[in-house]
Amino acid sequence: MINPNLKHLRIFVEIARRGSFRNAANALHLSEPATSQAVSQLESLIGVKLLDRTTRTVRISEAGSAFLADAERLLEGLDYSIAALREFASSGRGRVSIACLSSAVYRLLPPVLTEMKIRYPGIDVIFLDDNMRGILQKIDKAECDVAIVSEDPTIKLGLSIPLMDDAFQVVCRLDHPLAKRKKAVGQELSEFEMVLLRRGSGIRDTLDRAFEAKSIQLNVVHETTQVLTLLGLVEAGLGITVLPSLLCPDPSHGAVAVIPLQKPSVQRKLGLIFASGREPSPAARLLADVVQRTVASTSLRVPPGVSKLAT
């Protein structure tokens, strides 16, 4: 079976933009008959009429308008990848952007950026921290090359490179009844006032799904968008909280206690994904490799409750 090729797509996009076979043919340095034939082949191959033609005009059809956006995105992604590859091959220099969940930035990004600077000083790395929703928008619009995200069962999003499992734990004051426990059971938490991140954050959504599946109702008295505010409320004795281990304060500092959560056991899987709609650039692949190596390295110390998946 013959499939549409890049030549078909470029000719179709050019005609749609210019509204003329002649103008498109001139822009692409092709003959007008060759341009017309290419579009006819494309329509025949996909079985859909993309352009409405008369002797005087050519208009894009409704199906053609829908196809145009995908064709433009595909070609732009390819052009970007080729340009990045040529730049990297000729100079060893490049530019790459990485988006990272705000809840993982503190422990993961500094060692990654340091290693990139040592290994590939010619590559400029731009980093963006955001919540899950913001990162997915950036990935979908190709506003970043690589992203560290949390796997979400409600979204069809496969991690290209799994990095770590991050278990949720209970955080409370040292004088709280749970502080001396070796583990906390989910049903027990309903007996205490809780302070949590606001609904809509990836962390809160993961927590709510797990407790709702066990029909456990939590007594939430305060919500916030900031982890530091959350921990301040805990230290003030205004409630207990549940956070991924990467965000839990170090118990050795003596301010709070951190207790593993069971029944339900809640965890998130962190990993790398690439921008959609285009092949990763050489710089993006090098950055992804450095992220994977940095996480797997014995020099990256992770808190209890975090299990490395990268090898």
Side-chain angles (χ1 to χ4, degrees):
M1 177 181 177
I2 301 176
N3 292 315
N5 56 39
L6 293 175
K7 181 180 178 181
H8 289 132
L9 296 183
R10 290 196 187 279
I11 290 174
F12 165 68
V13 168
E14 204 64 38
I15 294 170
R17 288 174 175 173
R18 298 178 183 273
S20 163
F21 280 89
R22 177 177 297 176
N23 292 341
N26 290 338
L28 295 170
H29 306 289
L30 297 171
S31 67
E32 193 170 340
T35 303
S36 178
Q37 183 182 27
V39 172
S40 296
Q41 288 176 344
L42 177 60
E43 291 176 325
S44 177
L45 288 169
I46 63 178
V48 176
K49 191 175 182 63
L50 300 174
L51 299 173
D52 295 322
R53 310 167 181 78
T54 68
T55 55
R56 294 178 177 272
T57 63
V58 56
R59 291 189 178 89
I60 189 167
S61 68
E62 183 177 351
S65 295
F67 182 65
L68 177 63
D70 290 333
E72 287 180 322
R73 189 180 302 113
L74 178 63
L75 292 173
E76 287 171 3
L78 177 65
D79 291 342
Y80 171 88
S81 296
I82 292 174
L85 179 59
R86 285 173 174 166
E87 178 184 5
F88 186 78
S90 64
S91 64
R93 303 189 63 83
R95 180 182 177 129
V96 64
S97 58
I98 180 171
C100 183
L101 287 172
S102 301
S103 58
V105 164
Y106 174 74
R107 292 188 183 272
L108 294 185
L109 269 193
V112 167
L113 296 178
T114 299
E115 189 65 17
M116 279 295 293
K117 191 172 183 178
I118 294 171
R119 285 176 175 260
Y120 307 108
I123 298 178
D124 295 326
V125 181
I126 309 300
F127 76 86
L128 313 161
D129 61 322
D130 208 335
N131 58 27
M132 188 69 173
R133 185 174 302 171
I135 290 178
L136 290 180
Q137 290 176 349
K138 289 179 173 63
I139 282 289
D140 188 56
K141 296 177 181 178
E143 294 176 356
C144 64
D145 300 292
V146 185
I148 298 176
V149 297
S150 175
E151 193 172 58
D152 188 336
T154 66
I155 303 173
K156 292 182 178 179
L157 177 69
L159 300 178
S160 300
I161 303 174
L163 295 175
M164 57 180 59
D165 284 331
D166 188 12
F168 284 47
Q169 303 200 63
V170 178
V171 183
C172 64
R173 270 177 40 141
L174 294 177
D175 58 359
H176 192 275
L178 292 175
K180 301 299 183 182
R181 302 280 290 275
K182 292 185 177 181
K183 65 180 179 180
V185 177
Q187 189 63 53
E188 296 177 303
L189 302 190
S190 62
E191 303 171 10
F192 303 104
E193 292 185 338
M194 299 194 68
V195 292
L196 296 176
L197 293 173
R198 291 194 190 279
R199 291 182 183 274
S201 72
I203 291 172
R204 177 65 183 274
D205 291 346
T206 299
L207 187 67
D208 284 349
R209 282 195 298 269
F211 276 81
E212 288 168 4
K214 296 290 185 180
S215 300
I216 299 174
Q217 184 72 37
L218 298 178
N219 180 19
V220 182
V221 295
H222 294 294
E223 295 179 323
T224 180
T225 59
Q226 302 298 319
V227 174
L228 286 178
T229 302
L230 195 68
L231 294 175
L233 294 173
V234 171
E235 291 179 16
L238 295 174
I240 64 174
T241 193
V242 179
L243 287 172
S245 298
L246 282 177
L247 288 176
C248 291
D250 188 343
S252 64
H253 292 169
V256 296
V258 178
I259 309 105
L261 174 64
Q262 296 183 359
K263 298 180 181 180
S265 295
V266 186
Q267 69 176 17
R268 60 177 183 169
K269 187 186 297 289
L270 299 178
L272 278 173
I273 58 175
F274 294 99
S276 57
R278 69 185 188 207
E279 282 294 311
S281 68
R285 291 192 181 279
L286 290 174
L287 175 57
D289 180 68
V290 166
V291 172
Q292 190 174 13
R293 290 174 180 271
T294 301
V295 171
S297 171
T298 55
S299 62
L300 181 70
R301 300 180 64 184
V302 295
V306 176
S307 302
K308 295 182 180 183
L309 301 175
T311 57

